[in-house]
Amino acid sequence: MAVEKIKKPKKRSATIFGYPLSIFFIVVNEFCERFSYYGMRAVLVLYFKYFLKWDEDFATTIYHTFVALCYLTPILGAIVADSWLGKFKTIVYLSIVYAVGQVVMAVSAIQDITDANKDGTPDNMTLHVALSMVGLLLIALGTGGIKPCVAAFGGDQFEDHQEKQRSTFFSIFYLSINAGSLISTLITPILRAQTCGIHVQQECYPLAFGVPAALMVVALIVFIVGSPMYIRNPPQGNIIVKVCKCIGFAVKNRFRHRSSQYPKREHWMDWAEEKYDKLLIAQVKMALKVLFLYIPLPMFWALFDQQGSRWTFQATTMNGNFGAITIQPDQMQTVNPILILILVPIMDTLIYPLISKCFNFTPLRRITVGMFLAALAFVAAALLQIQIDKTLPDFPSSTEGQVKFINMVNRDLQIQADNQTISLKAFGANEDYLTFNNQFTLVLEPGQQYNVKLDNGTRNTMAIIQGSKLGFEKFDDMTSKPEKGENALRVLNGFGSVLNVTVRDKVFNFTSNMSEYLSVSHGKAEFMIKDDKGSSCIYTQELGFGSSYTLIIPSTFTFGEMCSENIKAVMDMEPNTVHMAWQIIQYFLMTSGEVVFSVTGLEFSYSQAPSNMKSVLQAGWLLTVAVGNIIVLIVAEAATLKDQWAEYILFASLLVLVCIIFAIMAYFYTYTDPTKIEAQFGEMEPEEKEKRKSFDMPRKGSAESHKEDRRSSDSDDECTKQTKI
């Protein structure tokens, strides 16, 4: 008679208010880790564009590749923790990898390490790109690897009679995730907006990445400090591996018996009966039934995760002035966690009960509605983008050139460009750029004619000057909106002598009478103008977001109390007029969709999953997030849509199509009660055990397989606990 293995009782942990003291270390660790991850991710896409100088499409591609990796590696982490190292060691080892990755990212953002000529631009961009990619790879491995372990490890700290405390712990744990996400998404964009640098002061990406790196180191230290108090369960085998082996055996066995002489079986998984018991096969069938419903779901995540890429880029072309505060483009992502905290209780206590009085709002119907709301969010984003595009300048095409005229002569002029007559006041400019195909004829005065050639796709300013006769100087202008919502400013010096012009400690560099552009953030800008004799003048200009100005210092300029009245500002590009608050509409729709889709999806999966298959469905759910980000990569690279609003409509249309497909699949889905189905099988009959044993005897490694089956009940209990969160 076999002797049952006596389970070793759990080590009792110190408690406070009825809770194991060890969980407080775990909660603090999770807060710091989520702060580290979301803080880094909030500024990541802007780092790609403005530091690494990638275009928006490529930046979006790499961003979503990184997010996809973060949701693929949890499967690896779960297998390593349950089959080899155990949860504690997996968390510690991968947290070290994680922290190293964050430090590498912070180092990669220091432009001074390769800025040999001290001009503020890295001389070896390849090194910075390589360090960034290594850092992101380590972060993806670390954050994904520990994702399935931390919550489960916290659950392990409770004893069987502490079910209520365990449930409260999971609520606090979820709160720490949202708190870390919300606070970091608010703070790191502020850190990014600071200026730092040894040679040239620029946006401080090293600080924006360095603080999350420091928080990850703190998370690791806090977790290790609590190690003497932890209850550590040894690895007991991973159910995901067992399920894969069962499915693999069924496929191989079916292939070996594909001849018509073998009788057909009710389900293809029944071909695993020779090796695996019927209860496990029935459980796999139930899990596969739910996993089949997961197939359309990645399209939702394809839209959802663009909040951190496309929507952030959209915010850079908008007005972020909220009166007392200024919102950075990457701070708009905080709307999502704020709305989650508001909408989750409203949905549970008000919306769902009201709807249930009208009709049965089943989980699958909720998921369908969530997908539809996400599609509406992208329609709202497209409509907003159309309004933004209306405010953007009409830039020249690849076969055109544009020009604006500035009169630097102290009298009114009337000039002619081809068949267009332009009246210019003294030290004034025409309002809009004129567009020409390659070249045009310019008449400054009767009998004074010039053939002017413009480079294709360029904008130019022509300053009309007085010499022995009227002439002009041509300068290159910007052909795109200033980045990051800043303002592009330059100075045209017609004073006749060298002037030193500064704004907010930045010095205008003159290579001719026209200075180079300087980027200045919104608000009041004070220009300090000095000559070589020490005379000075202050000119004040109120700046919005995304504008471009040319400041004219005329020949009639004189220093003194009224000096600023002589200076004129010519607007080359209007500031952003569409307010960033309009994005709240699309964030509200998307977050509503997330609450209805994601929370309901996890609840549905948990209710329809067999007792030992929770981790399998959790892995499948995370996989849909990864696949969704891969879809973004494919569309971003394959789509050749010129307008961003059209891409938004494309994604919305694809999701509506997928939503219809899912609704049809959901219509034919039959809800099951896994507990009742599992109860029907009971214990395996002796003859079935003998049948399986006789099948396994001739096969190599049968002892190990049999041993694994004997451990299945303990492993199943552990997996259920691990994925309960």
Side-chain angles (χ1 to χ4, degrees):
M1 185 176 177
V3 180
E4 277 191 23
K5 186 177 179 180
I6 301 174
K7 283 190 176 181
K8 201 173 180 180
K10 283 186 175 182
K11 174 179 73 173
R12 293 189 65 85
S13 175
T15 61
I16 179 170
F17 302 117
Y19 293 88
L21 185 60
S22 56
I23 68 163
F24 295 98
F25 294 92
I26 295 172
V27 169
V28 173
N29 164 270
E30 183 65 12
F31 170 82
C32 294
E33 187 275 327
R34 289 291 86 185
F35 184 108
S36 177
Y37 174 72
Y38 283 106
M40 178 276 305
R41 205 176 101 165
V43 300
L44 186 60
V45 73
L46 298 184
Y47 168 75
F48 289 156
K49 182 178 180 182
Y50 300 126
F51 186 90
L52 299 183
K53 307 299 182 186
W54 292 345
D55 62 57
E56 289 189 8
D57 286 341
F58 190 63
T60 300
T61 297
I62 299 301
Y63 174 86
H64 287 285
T65 301
F66 166 69
V67 176
L69 284 174
C70 290
Y71 284 95
L72 284 172
T73 49
I75 299 174
L76 177 64
I79 293 173
V80 169
D82 288 346
S83 304
W84 181 28
L85 293 177
K87 288 187 276 292
F88 175 79
K89 288 183 178 179
T90 301
I91 294 170
V92 171
Y93 294 160
L94 290 182
S95 291
I96 294 172
V97 172
Y98 193 168
V100 170
Q102 290 281 31
V103 172
V104 171
M105 276 299 297
V107 172
S108 74
I110 303 174
Q111 71 265 16
D112 296 306
I113 61 177
T114 62
D115 187 13
N117 57 6
K118 303 179 181 179
D119 64 349
T121 302
D123 299 325
N124 186 1
M125 189 61 79
T126 303
L127 175 63
H128 292 273
V129 172
L131 287 174
S132 301
M133 295 303 100
V134 170
L136 290 177
L137 188 62
L138 294 176
I139 292 170
L141 181 61
T143 187
I146 67 175
K147 193 186 294 288
C149 301
V150 180
F153 188 68
D156 289 345
Q157 308 309 304
F158 294 88
E159 298 181 23
D160 293 339
H161 67 275
Q162 295 178 303
E163 187 65 35
K164 183 179 179 181
Q165 289 90 336
R166 182 188 286 117
S167 177
T168 305
F169 159 73
F170 285 137
S171 299
I172 297 172
F173 187 85
Y174 182 72
L175 181 63
S176 71
I177 293 174
N178 282 278
S181 167
L182 176 59
I183 296 172
S184 65
T185 312
L186 278 171
I187 291 177
T188 50
I190 296 174
L191 299 177
R192 172 192 60 77
Q194 306 304 307
T195 56
C196 61
I198 298 174
H199 308 305
V200 178
Q201 296 288 304
Q202 297 185 11
E203 281 192 322
C204 205
Y205 285 103
L207 182 61
F209 289 140
V211 170
L215 264 291
M216 190 57 226
V217 173
V218 171
L220 176 59
I221 293 172
V222 168
F223 186 75
I224 293 175
V225 167
S227 60
M229 307 175 199
Y230 296 144
I231 295 173
R232 307 183 200 178
N233 294 326
Q236 298 176 336
N238 189 275
I239 188 64
I240 297 176
V241 176
K242 189 173 182 180
V243 168
C244 292
K245 287 181 178 179
C246 181
I247 293 173
F249 178 79
V251 172
K252 287 189 292 183
N253 197 32
R254 177 67 185 91
F255 183 76
R256 284 197 299 264
H257 298 83
R258 61 187 180 275
S259 174
S260 58
Q261 64 182 354
Y262 297 103
K264 291 184 178 181
R265 300 188 183 182
E266 185 178 350
H267 193 279
W268 61 271
M269 275 302 305
D270 293 334
W271 289 96
E273 288 181 354
E274 284 82 354
K275 186 175 181 180
Y276 296 91
D277 58 70
K278 289 186 176 181
L279 175 58
L280 176 64
I281 294 171
Q283 290 167 333
V284 172
K285 287 179 184 178
M286 287 186 281
L288 290 176
K289 186 179 177 183
V290 178
L291 289 173
F292 176 72
L293 281 177
Y294 283 1
I295 293 175
L297 303 189
M299 199 64 220
F300 173 87
W301 300 113
L303 277 68
F304 178 82
D305 278 329
Q306 290 189 59
Q307 293 176 94
S309 56
R310 294 297 196 197
W311 287 13
T312 300
F313 285 138
Q314 185 185 60
T316 62
T317 61
M318 303 177 74
N319 181 353
N321 185 7
F322 282 77
I325 60 172
T326 299
I327 299 296
Q328 300 293 329
D330 33 0
Q331 283 182 312
M332 280 302 292
Q333 299 173 56
T334 59
V335 175
N336 176 257
I338 291 172
L339 286 175
I340 285 178
L341 296 176
I342 296 172
L343 289 176
V344 167
I346 290 176
M347 289 288 186
D348 287 338
T349 60
L350 183 63
I351 304 299
Y352 291 157
L354 285 176
I355 295 177
S356 62
K357 291 182 179 180
C358 301
F359 63 93
N360 185 16
F361 200 32
T362 63
L364 293 180
R365 287 176 179 173
R366 294 182 191 179
I367 293 173
T368 306
V369 170
M371 297 169 77
F372 184 70
L373 288 172
L376 284 180
F378 262 60
V379 171
L383 295 174
L384 181 60
Q385 188 64 48
I386 291 172
Q387 296 304 312
I388 293 172
D389 291 346
K390 289 179 180 178
T391 67
L392 296 179
D394 185 15
F395 293 111
S397 68
S398 58
T399 59
E400 296 175 333
Q402 291 181 339
V403 66
K404 173 178 278 193
F405 298 97
I406 295 179
N407 178 14
M408 295 299 290
V409 182
N410 192 17
R411 60 186 172 91
D412 294 350
L413 295 176
Q414 186 167 295
I415 63 175
Q416 189 168 339
D418 277 351
N419 58 351
Q420 302 183 60
T421 301
I422 305 139
S423 297
L424 300 173
K425 292 186 177 297
F427 308 113
N430 59 309
E431 187 174 347
D432 296 319
Y433 282 84
L434 304 177
T435 303
F436 299 98
N437 290 321
N438 192 259
Q439 65 179 17
F440 66 95
T441 301
L442 175 64
V443 179
L444 298 180
E445 288 183 320
Q448 194 174 342
Q449 181 174 307
Y450 301 90
N451 287 323
V452 182
K453 185 174 182 180
L454 301 175
D455 293 332
N456 289 332
T458 63
R459 277 187 153 195
N460 307 269
T461 289
M462 296 182 68
I464 301 172
I465 56 177
Q466 181 72 64
S468 57
K469 59 180 181 178
L470 290 179
F472 65 86
E473 288 183 287
K474 185 161 71 74
F475 306 100
D476 293 333
D477 295 358
M478 298 181 67
T479 54
S480 62
K481 287 282 281 186
E483 296 179 333
K484 298 172 283 189
E486 294 195 338
N487 302 275
L489 308 177
R490 61 180 178 175
V491 177
L492 178 56
N493 182 8
F495 185 57
S497 64
V498 177
L499 294 174
N500 177 269
V501 186
T502 60
V503 58
R504 296 182 187 170
D505 297 327
K506 296 181 178 181
V507 181
F508 285 93
N509 180 31
F510 288 88
T511 55
S512 62
N513 288 332
M514 183 77 82
S515 73
E516 295 178 355
Y517 282 103
L518 275 183
S519 292
V520 181
S521 59
H522 93 288
K524 181 186 283 188
E526 287 191 349
F527 297 81
M528 176 64 73
I529 305 168
K530 294 181 179 180
D531 63 4
D532 52 4
K533 297 177 182 178
S535 300
S536 63
C537 176
I538 296 177
Y539 172 77
T540 303
Q541 176 77 28
E542 193 68 34
L543 301 175
F545 293 83
S547 64
S548 177
Y549 287 93
T550 299
L551 264 65
I552 300 174
I553 302 178
S555 58
T556 56
F557 172 78
T558 56
F559 288 96
E561 291 184 5
M562 309 299 290
C563 62
S564 61
E565 293 184 1
N566 296 320
I567 299 172
K568 296 186 178 180
V570 175
M571 183 185 290
D572 299 328
M573 293 187 201
E574 293 185 359
N576 302 338
T577 55
V578 180
H579 202 278
M580 212 178 282
W582 285 106
Q583 275 199 322
I584 295 176
I585 297 173
Q586 63 207 53
Y587 272 102
F588 175 79
L589 289 169
M590 181 61 77
T591 307
S592 300
E594 178 193 4
V595 171
V596 177
F597 176 91
S598 184
V599 176
T600 305
L602 290 170
E603 290 176 357
F604 166 78
S605 301
Y606 192 89
S607 68
Q608 296 296 292
S611 58
N612 64 337
M613 298 286 172
K614 314 294 185 184
S615 61
V616 176
L617 296 186
Q618 176 69 12
W621 184 266
L622 294 175
L623 191 61
T624 64
V625 182
V627 175
N629 281 272
I630 294 171
I631 291 173
V632 180
L633 308 184
I634 296 171
V635 175
E637 291 297 319
T640 56
L641 300 173
K642 180 182 177 182
D643 299 313
Q644 183 58 53
W645 66 265
E647 184 178 296
Y648 289 145
I649 293 296
L650 173 62
F651 274 107
S653 303
L654 290 173
L655 185 56
V656 169
L657 177 62
V658 168
C659 184
I660 294 171
I661 295 172
F662 180 80
I664 295 172
M665 294 169 63
Y667 179 78
F668 291 100
Y669 181 84
T670 304
Y671 288 85
T672 58
D673 186 346
T675 306
K676 289 184 179 180
I677 295 176
E678 289 170 336
Q680 291 175 359
F681 286 87
E683 295 182 357
M684 184 181 293
E685 296 181 5
E687 57 266 25
E688 290 186 19
K689 290 184 179 180
E690 288 297 324
K691 179 181 178 182
R692 190 158 52 83
K693 183 178 178 182
S694 63
F695 182 85
D696 287 339
M697 284 293 287
R699 304 182 63 83
K700 188 177 180 179
S702 61
E704 288 77 2
S705 175
H706 188 63
K707 188 177 179 181
E708 181 183 84
D709 290 339
R710 291 184 61 188
R711 292 200 312 259
S712 64
S713 61
D714 288 343
S715 174
D716 295 347
D717 291 342
E718 177 63 25
C719 291
T720 302
K721 186 190 299 177
Q722 175 179 341
T723 58
K724 186 171 183 180
I725 183 61

